[in-house]
Amino acid sequence: MKTTSIAVGSSPRALALVTSALLLGALTGGCVVGSEVGSEEETLGEAQEALTAYSFFTESSTTNFSGTTIPASVALQSCFLSGVAGNLNRGDRFGGIASLQSAAAVRATSTTYTLFGHGGAYTNQVNDPVAINNLVKATATCFPIAPNVSGGGWDSDDPPVWINHPGTSLRQCFLTSLVGVDGAWNSGSNFARVVKVTTTDATHPIPGWYIEGNLPDAVNSSDAHISADCLDFPEGTEFASGMVYSTEDGSTTVPIGLGLGTTVRIGCALTEVQGAFNVNDATEGVLMSPPSGWGAGSWSITVKGARIAKWVCAK
């Protein structure tokens, strides 16, 4: 078994490495830059105070299409996808009913977030949904900040979709949903990502943040879907990013965000996943875990099977 992880530390101010996910709400814990000149340490301390209250949620089911409501106490936070495992390779968007697709997703409503993890359904002769009973596990990380939220989505066979201006080094985007239909996640080369583009080309005509993937649609033309949101973090935020992969029969668990130290809380979420998600096993995939077992402030990520994950952590 060959496994590798790569971690990149950040400067005391902020790195320009951030990736998409869903967010909503207002800054809690506050970061205010005064009119007087403050020290670097004071600014950093304010950002750390604002980011100490991250929250983490898990949903794993075969038939729960209503999802799990993230508590109202977290409603003013910004929530992103931090894990996906199981079988996203079935489902149908028959008649435009998007809830019948398999999904690992965190979605905002007008007042809160809902976390979905389910294996999709098909419609019977009288157009009623019938669960396929595929297992999907999804996890979400919520940061207690939410200024300048913006995002978008990508559907099967689309070119890369521009969702946001490049912003400053404090803008970061994370994945918020991975939605599958029949045959969409059946190849080790399948990928979904949100990425910052600074050099334009034929498929990225302007600089900025893009959602892109290579997921096919189903035989009946139902689309797979990827979404992501972007967030401007407070002054003084530090970032770390990296990639983890495992071979087909391997599994690796590594600490992440170590470049940020372990003295304050760190929050982490996904910017890219690659690989087949077609096994009814809640451990088969890419799953982050909040601090537990790695020390006071260290997150970890487990990648199982022939899959790749890219992540960003902030503190």
mmCIF file of all heavy atoms in Angstrom, residues 42-60:
data_model
loop_
_atom_site.group_PDB
_atom_site.id
_atom_site.type_symbol
_atom_site.label_atom_id
_atom_site.label_comp_id
_atom_site.label_asym_id
_atom_site.label_seq_id
_atom_site.Cartn_x
_atom_site.Cartn_y
_atom_site.Cartn_z
ATOM 1 N N GLU A 42 -2.073 41.120 17.477
ATOM 2 C CA GLU A 42 -3.443 41.440 17.851
ATOM 3 C C GLU A 42 -4.419 41.012 16.762
ATOM 4 O O GLU A 42 -5.470 40.440 17.036
ATOM 5 C CB GLU A 42 -3.569 42.946 18.117
ATOM 6 C CG GLU A 42 -2.888 43.398 19.400
ATOM 7 C CD GLU A 42 -2.870 44.912 19.511
ATOM 8 O OE1 GLU A 42 -3.069 45.574 18.468
ATOM 9 O OE2 GLU A 42 -2.675 45.421 20.617
ATOM 10 N N THR A 43 -4.071 41.292 15.500
ATOM 11 C CA THR A 43 -4.927 40.903 14.393
ATOM 12 C C THR A 43 -5.071 39.398 14.324
ATOM 13 O O THR A 43 -6.156 38.859 14.129
ATOM 14 C CB THR A 43 -4.356 41.432 13.063
ATOM 15 O OG1 THR A 43 -4.211 42.837 13.152
ATOM 16 C CG2 THR A 43 -5.274 41.085 11.903
ATOM 17 N N LEU A 44 -3.960 38.693 14.464
ATOM 18 C CA LEU A 44 -3.989 37.240 14.444
ATOM 19 C C LEU A 44 -4.843 36.714 15.579
ATOM 20 O O LEU A 44 -5.632 35.786 15.415
ATOM 21 C CB LEU A 44 -2.564 36.689 14.547
ATOM 22 C CG LEU A 44 -2.413 35.161 14.572
ATOM 23 C CD1 LEU A 44 -3.032 34.549 13.334
ATOM 24 C CD2 LEU A 44 -0.949 34.787 14.687
ATOM 25 N N GLY A 45 -4.711 37.309 16.762
ATOM 26 C CA GLY A 45 -5.488 36.860 17.907
ATOM 27 C C GLY A 45 -6.976 37.019 17.693
ATOM 28 O O GLY A 45 -7.772 36.165 18.090
ATOM 29 N N GLU A 46 -7.399 38.117 17.031
ATOM 30 C CA GLU A 46 -8.805 38.328 16.765
ATOM 31 C C GLU A 46 -9.349 37.254 15.828
ATOM 32 O O GLU A 46 -10.453 36.747 16.013
ATOM 33 C CB GLU A 46 -9.001 39.717 16.157
ATOM 34 C CG GLU A 46 -8.781 40.849 17.151
ATOM 35 C CD GLU A 46 -8.707 42.208 16.477
ATOM 36 O OE1 GLU A 46 -8.696 42.235 15.225
ATOM 37 O OE2 GLU A 46 -8.665 43.218 17.187
ATOM 38 N N ALA A 47 -8.591 36.915 14.788
ATOM 39 C CA ALA A 47 -9.027 35.877 13.862
ATOM 40 C C ALA A 47 -9.130 34.541 14.567
ATOM 41 O O ALA A 47 -10.075 33.779 14.361
ATOM 42 C CB ALA A 47 -8.054 35.775 12.682
ATOM 43 N N GLN A 48 -8.162 34.233 15.425
ATOM 44 C CA GLN A 48 -8.194 32.965 16.132
ATOM 45 C C GLN A 48 -9.396 32.887 17.063
ATOM 46 O O GLN A 48 -10.037 31.848 17.194
ATOM 47 C CB GLN A 48 -6.889 32.778 16.905
ATOM 48 C CG GLN A 48 -5.689 32.547 16.002
ATOM 49 C CD GLN A 48 -4.390 32.449 16.773
ATOM 50 O OE1 GLN A 48 -4.342 32.742 17.957
ATOM 51 N NE2 GLN A 48 -3.339 32.047 16.096
ATOM 52 N N GLU A 49 -9.721 34.004 17.721
ATOM 53 C CA GLU A 49 -10.883 34.018 18.601
ATOM 54 C C GLU A 49 -12.159 33.762 17.812
ATOM 55 O O GLU A 49 -13.038 33.026 18.236
ATOM 56 C CB GLU A 49 -10.979 35.359 19.323
ATOM 57 C CG GLU A 49 -12.163 35.447 20.278
ATOM 58 C CD GLU A 49 -12.228 36.789 20.966
ATOM 59 O OE1 GLU A 49 -11.330 37.626 20.747
ATOM 60 O OE2 GLU A 49 -13.195 37.005 21.716
ATOM 61 N N ALA A 50 -12.254 34.361 16.620
ATOM 62 C CA ALA A 50 -13.447 34.196 15.798
ATOM 63 C C ALA A 50 -13.593 32.774 15.288
ATOM 64 O O ALA A 50 -14.695 32.321 15.010
ATOM 65 C CB ALA A 50 -13.402 35.163 14.617
ATOM 66 N N LEU A 51 -12.501 32.057 15.130
ATOM 67 C CA LEU A 51 -12.540 30.725 14.525
ATOM 68 C C LEU A 51 -12.470 29.593 15.536
ATOM 69 O O LEU A 51 -12.319 28.440 15.159
ATOM 70 C CB LEU A 51 -11.368 30.591 13.528
ATOM 71 C CG LEU A 51 -11.457 31.491 12.295
ATOM 72 C CD1 LEU A 51 -10.199 31.375 11.453
ATOM 73 C CD2 LEU A 51 -12.676 31.145 11.467
ATOM 74 N N THR A 52 -12.586 29.882 16.821
ATOM 75 C CA THR A 52 -12.468 28.803 17.800
ATOM 76 C C THR A 52 -13.744 27.999 17.953
ATOM 77 O O THR A 52 -13.723 26.926 18.528
ATOM 78 C CB THR A 52 -12.078 29.354 19.179
ATOM 79 O OG1 THR A 52 -13.038 30.347 19.556
ATOM 80 C CG2 THR A 52 -10.676 29.931 19.147
ATOM 81 N N ALA A 53 -14.850 28.486 17.434
ATOM 82 C CA ALA A 53 -16.136 27.841 17.715
ATOM 83 C C ALA A 53 -16.661 27.039 16.528
ATOM 84 O O ALA A 53 -17.859 26.986 16.310
ATOM 85 C CB ALA A 53 -17.162 28.894 18.128
ATOM 86 N N TYR A 54 -15.788 26.424 15.733
ATOM 87 C CA TYR A 54 -16.254 25.631 14.612
ATOM 88 C C TYR A 54 -17.169 24.517 15.108
ATOM 89 O O TYR A 54 -17.104 24.078 16.266
ATOM 90 C CB TYR A 54 -15.068 25.033 13.835
ATOM 91 C CG TYR A 54 -14.469 23.835 14.535
ATOM 92 C CD1 TYR A 54 -14.986 22.563 14.333
ATOM 93 C CD2 TYR A 54 -13.434 23.992 15.434
ATOM 94 C CE1 TYR A 54 -14.478 21.481 15.013
ATOM 95 C CE2 TYR A 54 -12.917 22.918 16.112
ATOM 96 C CZ TYR A 54 -13.448 21.662 15.895
ATOM 97 O OH TYR A 54 -12.945 20.592 16.582
ATOM 98 N N SER A 55 -18.039 24.023 14.218
ATOM 99 C CA SER A 55 -18.920 22.896 14.541
ATOM 100 C C SER A 55 -18.766 21.825 13.472
ATOM 101 O O SER A 55 -18.383 22.111 12.336
ATOM 102 C CB SER A 55 -20.375 23.366 14.615
ATOM 103 O OG SER A 55 -20.541 24.368 15.586
ATOM 104 N N PHE A 56 -19.111 20.587 13.828
ATOM 105 C CA PHE A 56 -18.912 19.446 12.934
ATOM 106 C C PHE A 56 -20.136 18.539 13.016
ATOM 107 O O PHE A 56 -20.619 18.238 14.105
ATOM 108 C CB PHE A 56 -17.650 18.681 13.349
ATOM 109 C CG PHE A 56 -17.262 17.564 12.409
ATOM 110 C CD1 PHE A 56 -16.519 17.812 11.275
ATOM 111 C CD2 PHE A 56 -17.626 16.251 12.681
ATOM 112 C CE1 PHE A 56 -16.134 16.793 10.422
ATOM 113 C CE2 PHE A 56 -17.257 15.221 11.838
ATOM 114 C CZ PHE A 56 -16.511 15.496 10.699
ATOM 115 N N PHE A 57 -20.643 18.085 11.837
ATOM 116 C CA PHE A 57 -21.870 17.295 11.805
ATOM 117 C C PHE A 57 -21.719 16.134 10.832
ATOM 118 O O PHE A 57 -20.982 16.216 9.850
ATOM 119 C CB PHE A 57 -23.060 18.161 11.389
ATOM 120 C CG PHE A 57 -23.301 19.315 12.323
ATOM 121 C CD1 PHE A 57 -22.709 20.542 12.087
ATOM 122 C CD2 PHE A 57 -24.096 19.163 13.447
ATOM 123 C CE1 PHE A 57 -22.911 21.607 12.951
ATOM 124 C CE2 PHE A 57 -24.302 20.215 14.315
ATOM 125 C CZ PHE A 57 -23.716 21.436 14.074
ATOM 126 N N THR A 58 -22.464 15.045 11.113
ATOM 127 C CA THR A 58 -22.412 13.833 10.297
ATOM 128 C C THR A 58 -23.820 13.367 9.960
ATOM 129 O O THR A 58 -24.715 13.383 10.818
ATOM 130 C CB THR A 58 -21.672 12.712 11.032
ATOM 131 O OG1 THR A 58 -20.329 13.123 11.310
ATOM 132 C CG2 THR A 58 -21.626 11.438 10.198
ATOM 133 N N GLU A 59 -24.008 12.938 8.729
ATOM 134 C CA GLU A 59 -25.263 12.316 8.305
ATOM 135 C C GLU A 59 -24.916 11.089 7.475
ATOM 136 O O GLU A 59 -24.095 11.165 6.551
ATOM 137 C CB GLU A 59 -26.105 13.284 7.483
ATOM 138 C CG GLU A 59 -27.278 12.667 6.751
ATOM 139 C CD GLU A 59 -28.370 12.148 7.672
ATOM 140 O OE1 GLU A 59 -28.351 12.495 8.862
ATOM 141 O OE2 GLU A 59 -29.244 11.406 7.212
ATOM 142 N N SER A 60 -25.513 9.943 7.809
ATOM 143 C CA SER A 60 -25.262 8.704 7.080
ATOM 144 C C SER A 60 -26.562 7.925 6.980
ATOM 145 O O SER A 60 -27.163 7.596 8.005
ATOM 146 C CB SER A 60 -24.192 7.868 7.798
ATOM 147 O OG SER A 60 -23.926 6.667 7.102
#
